[in-house]
Amino acid sequence: MSTQSNKHYKIAVLAGDGIGPEVMAEAEKVLQVVADKFQFGITLTPALVGGAAIDATGEPLPAATLKLCKQSDAILFGSVGGPKWTGLAPDKQPERGSLLPLRKTFDLFCNLRPGQIYPAFADLSPLHPRVSSLGMDVLCVRELTGGIYFGEKGRTETDAFDTQRYSVREIERIAKVAFEAATKRSNKVTSIDKANVLQTSILWRETVERVAKNYPGVTLEHMYIDNAAMQLIRSPQQFDVLLCDNLFGDILSDEIAAIAGSLGLLPSASLNGSGFGLYEPAGGSAPDIAGLGVANPIAQILSAALMLRYSFGEEDAACAIEQAVQHCLEQHIVTRDINPKSTYGTAAVGAAIVATLRQENQ
């Protein structure tokens, strides 16, 4: 590729199973167009992961795939899993055997899940029309490698326990991500805790307040998890950036997805402290529609936009993709999960986004 820039990014492309390869193909086309438009180079290198890797090598995350990821600047991930592999041992199943090791290997402590209600499809939201017409544009920042999911666990015949534990360092680094993100959005962070009950939440709140002093232009508010869950339903437009621990972020990010109305529109990013990230759509592998050419590629394409923004600092390119997606949504160029009467398939939606980007390039 000929560019006027020395910038070049190496991307490990792990398309995975089900609809993964179909939607990934469209994301790759979009990336090539914006690379030309914004004058940077990209190398897209595919590798096996998940069920496809199990079938070929016996492992959900082969050594060759992990080696490629270590040699790359970011991972663009598709979807893994399906009924074919559900009988395997838990650590050998596609999801647990690939995503969890990748998170551990690269210390992907931060999960970013944006949620947006698009005006053209506000009726998809279960809150429509009472609330969804007012819109929602939320970024959920979730701590991903600590908390109750990773604390000490135990079980006897009569009882069980899962220990919630957080350190100041873990809270500080996820809080910094949230505040930095807010400076690029609407300068507001809502930190979610249960400080009226939990010692970890008291430490969380104290630490977040200390980090906030370094961001005087960002407004900080604290909200208990139960109230936050209610407020997202009552008035989602009040939120900008939600800062959550692992458990609360798991809950609220799924609530945000439900409010948005379609998993096919929602990307996500998992980052470490050096900007390396894994980027994937919020939905699953959807094996029931795999190979039919009807899967929605938008979440995968928007995941590529997040990669450009957070790992590579290519904000203009990321915005261009998001604006092209917005344009196609406004023109009702969507797959059947968005509009059951639509005649557009995966490739047609991808082509429309590419065409929009190329028109903007003229």
Side-chain angles (χ1 to χ4, degrees), residues 143-159:
E143 201 288 322
L144 199 58
T145 57
I148 198 167
Y149 295 163
F150 291 88
E152 184 182 358
K153 302 175 183 298
R155 180 172 178 176
T156 69
E157 291 184 359
T158 58
D159 63 284

Side-chain angles (χ1 to χ4, degrees), residues 25-62:
E26 305 310 314
E28 291 185 73
K29 294 172 189 174
V30 168
L31 281 170
Q32 295 287 2
V33 171
V34 294
D36 289 340
K37 177 180 174 70
F38 293 97
Q39 302 293 295
F40 57 84
I42 57 171
T43 299
L44 300 166
T45 306
L48 292 171
V49 75
I54 292 171
D55 290 347
T57 71
E59 297 291 334
L61 184 64

Side-chain angles (χ1 to χ4, degrees), residues 33-349:
V33 171
V34 294
D36 289 340
K37 177 180 174 70
F38 293 97
Q39 302 293 295
F40 57 84
I42 57 171
T43 299
L44 300 166
T45 306
L48 292 171
V49 75
I54 292 171
D55 290 347
T57 71
E59 297 291 334
L61 184 64
T65 298
L66 187 58
K67 180 180 178 181
L68 171 67
C69 292
K70 290 179 178 179
Q71 295 171 342
S72 301
D73 300 311
I75 303 168
L76 191 59
F77 198 92
S79 303
V80 294
K84 181 178 180 181
W85 304 283
T86 55
L88 298 175
D91 63 336
K92 294 294 184 180
Q93 290 185 8
E95 299 92 335
R96 188 179 300 183
S98 60
L99 279 170
L100 292 184
L102 285 170
R103 289 174 185 171
K104 181 178 180 180
T105 298
F106 295 101
D107 191 24
L108 302 175
F109 71 91
C110 171
N111 179 252
L112 304 177
R113 180 85 71 87
Q116 186 174 354
I117 293 177
Y118 292 92
F121 295 96
D123 58 338
L124 291 175
S125 172
L127 301 184
H128 183 76
R130 184 181 62 83
V131 172
S132 64
S133 59
L134 298 175
M136 177 183 73
D137 186 2
V138 179
L139 177 64
C140 184
V141 178
R142 171 189 172 191
E143 201 288 322
L144 199 58
T145 57
I148 198 167
Y149 295 163
F150 291 88
E152 184 182 358
K153 302 175 183 298
R155 180 172 178 176
T156 69
E157 291 184 359
T158 58
D159 63 284
F161 66 91
D162 299 275
T163 305
Q164 168 90 332
R165 181 182 293 272
Y166 268 110
S167 68
V168 169
R169 173 184 171 271
E170 288 174 313
I171 301 168
E172 283 179 341
R173 66 179 185 173
I174 193 68
K176 289 176 182 177
V177 173
F179 282 100
E180 290 290 343
T183 64
K184 299 178 177 66
R185 292 171 51 91
S186 297
N187 289 299
K188 181 182 178 182
V189 170
T190 303
S191 180
I192 308 303
D193 61 39
K194 194 64 175 172
N196 58 336
V197 176
L198 302 176
Q199 286 295 320
T200 47
S201 282
I202 295 172
L203 178 65
W204 182 279
R205 183 173 292 206
E206 291 172 351
T207 306
V208 170
E209 288 180 348
R210 188 166 59 253
V211 172
K213 294 177 181 178
N214 297 320
Y215 299 89
V218 178
T219 299
L220 169 65
E221 69 173 357
H222 300 283
M223 190 173 292
Y224 296 146
I225 175 62
D226 42 354
N227 186 32
M230 179 181 66
Q231 292 297 330
L232 272 169
I233 295 172
R234 294 184 60 185
S235 179
Q237 69 276 4
Q238 70 180 281
F239 297 106
D240 178 27
V241 175
L242 287 174
L243 170 58
C244 308
D245 74 6
N246 207 341
L247 176 61
F248 298 159
D250 191 2
I251 295 167
L252 292 188
S253 62
D254 283 349
E255 183 180 1
I256 290 167
I259 292 170
S262 174
L263 283 174
L265 299 176
L266 297 179
S268 74
S270 299
L271 308 173
N272 66 16
S274 61
F276 185 92
L278 182 149
Y279 300 85
E280 61 178 322
S285 61
D288 55 319
I289 60 170
L292 301 181
V294 298
N296 190 344
I298 288 179
Q300 188 74 68
I301 290 169
L302 290 177
S303 295
L306 292 184
M307 178 181 68
L308 294 175
R309 171 173 293 124
Y310 290 110
S311 282
F312 305 150
E314 297 288 350
E315 181 66 23
D316 290 343
C319 287
I321 292 174
E322 291 163 350
Q323 290 166 6
V325 168
Q326 178 75 35
H327 172 78
C328 290
L329 288 173
E330 291 171 351
Q331 298 299 312
H332 287 252
I333 302 174
V334 295
T335 45
R336 294 201 304 244
D337 60 310
I338 304 298
N339 179 3
K341 297 181 180 179
S342 174
T343 59
Y344 293 97
T346 308
V349 171

